[in-house]
Amino acid sequence: MAKDIEVASGHEYGAKDYQDPPPAALFDAEELTKWSFYRAVIAEFIATLLFLYITVLTVIGYKSQTDPKHSPDQCGGVGILGIAWAFGGMIFVLVYCTAGISGGHINPAVTFGLFLARKVTLPRAFLYIVAQCLGAICGCGLVKAFQKSYYNEYGGGANELADGYSKGTGLGAEIIGTFVLVYTVFSATDPKRNARDSHVPVLAPLPIGFAVFMVHLATIPITGTGINPARSFGAAVIYGKDKAWDDQWLFWVGPMIGAAIAAFYHQYVLRAGAVKALGSFRSNA
């Protein structure tokens, strides 16, 4: 068992014993018999539904407010900054609300990264991703039901590769953007860090939301910013146009690669998982 000791100006403030929790089993049959498991799946569905409903409405509202046919003010609406705040703010709110129930994934890429790090079981990861995709479809369906004319006219909030960018650029933007998000998730929810700093679990939704906000600022001009396969899939299903489907693979492959890299980096580089596995090094206080 390793000991974390906080030292400042040569003075020892205290030591805390810490041991990494055991990795989640690949398959846990007992988990499937618990209500808490299905409650968590429902929480992921509702959270993703609300996420898509608010954010897609924001995107469509911005486009309608800046369309010369509907508004003479070309500088009106929330702007790109407002769209980024809508996505980041909703993730902050929803992670805060659901973290104690499902972990607040709200994103198949996050779920995939946590699965690779053995934080969740395979059945949980699978059902979370299904629930997230269904929630995204229903959220976009509500937007279309309420604003059908605007929904079709302004692209339904669907992610597409912008003109002038290659597929490789779009894929790279999705990989890097998702890496930033999932890396932040791992860092903000690191149990070793939580054991040392009791305030970290309370603040975890804030950096995660800010990561989504910052990535949107950078990549909206390129891909509209996916970094969440459920968000891109739900919008494409309801919008249903060829361009959204032609580019759909970018919004699955990119985020999954980014999440895998983030999981590897955090677990095997920052947390020295590879070194521990080889048994060649032991950290001592």
Side-chain angles (χ1 to χ4, degrees):
M1 180 178 293
K3 288 181 178 291
D4 288 337
I5 301 179
E6 297 179 0
V7 179
S9 302
H11 298 287
E12 182 179 301
Y13 285 147
K16 295 182 180 180
D17 289 340
Y18 173 79
Q19 186 173 20
D20 280 321
L26 183 63
F27 184 88
D28 184 2
E30 184 179 355
E31 182 179 54
L32 301 177
T33 65
K34 297 179 179 178
W35 163 243
S36 60
F37 173 74
Y38 298 100
R39 180 183 64 185
V41 173
I42 294 170
E44 287 292 309
F45 169 82
I46 295 298
T48 314
L49 183 155
L50 295 174
F51 176 60
L52 268 292
Y53 174 73
I54 296 298
T55 55
V56 171
L57 266 181
T58 302
V59 171
I60 293 174
Y62 163 68
K63 290 183 177 180
S64 67
Q65 289 168 339
T66 55
D67 188 339
K69 294 186 296 183
H70 300 289
S71 173
D73 183 9
Q74 295 302 296
C75 296
V78 296
I80 298 297
L81 184 63
I83 293 174
W85 271 121
F87 279 89
M90 278 304 292
I91 287 296
F92 166 68
V93 169
L94 294 171
V95 170
Y96 175 81
C97 291
T98 61
I101 300 172
S102 67
H105 297 192
I106 322 171
N107 184 334
V110 171
T111 301
F112 180 65
L114 293 173
F115 168 71
L116 292 180
R118 300 290 301 277
K119 303 293 186 183
V120 295
T121 64
L122 179 59
R124 183 178 291 267
F126 175 75
L127 288 182
Y128 272 21
I129 291 174
V130 171
Q132 290 156 1
C133 290
L134 290 177
I137 293 171
C138 292
C140 291
L142 286 177
V143 175
K144 185 174 182 178
F146 294 156
Q147 294 195 9
K148 186 172 183 179
S149 60
Y150 280 177
Y151 187 90
N152 293 325
E153 185 175 357
Y154 298 111
N159 287 127
E160 298 175 354
L161 183 64
D163 295 336
Y165 292 98
S166 67
K167 299 283 187 182
T169 300
L171 182 63
E174 289 296 310
I175 291 173
I176 296 172
T178 310
F179 174 85
V180 172
L181 170 59
V182 179
Y183 173 39
T184 304
V185 170
F186 273 103
S187 298
T189 60
D190 188 337
K192 185 174 183 178
R193 187 179 182 187
N194 294 348
R196 184 183 66 231
D197 303 319
S198 60
H199 65 280
V200 170
V202 178
L203 296 178
L206 186 60
I208 295 171
F210 262 109
V212 172
F213 167 68
M214 298 303 295
V215 171
H216 273 76
L217 286 181
T219 57
I220 281 177
I222 303 173
T223 61
T225 308
I227 69 170
N228 184 334
R231 176 260 185 274
S232 302
F233 179 71
V237 168
I238 300 300
Y239 185 52
K241 302 298 183 181
D242 290 342
K243 175 64 172 171
W245 283 115
D246 290 343
D247 295 338
Q248 185 66 201
W249 69 273
L250 293 172
F251 303 106
W252 282 89
V253 176
M256 293 307 185
I257 293 175
I261 296 173
F264 177 84
Y265 176 62
H266 185 269
Q267 294 295 103
Y268 293 100
V269 178
L270 298 185
R271 294 297 305 277
V275 175
K276 293 176 183 177
L278 292 173
S280 60
F281 177 80
R282 180 183 178 186
S283 60
N284 294 303

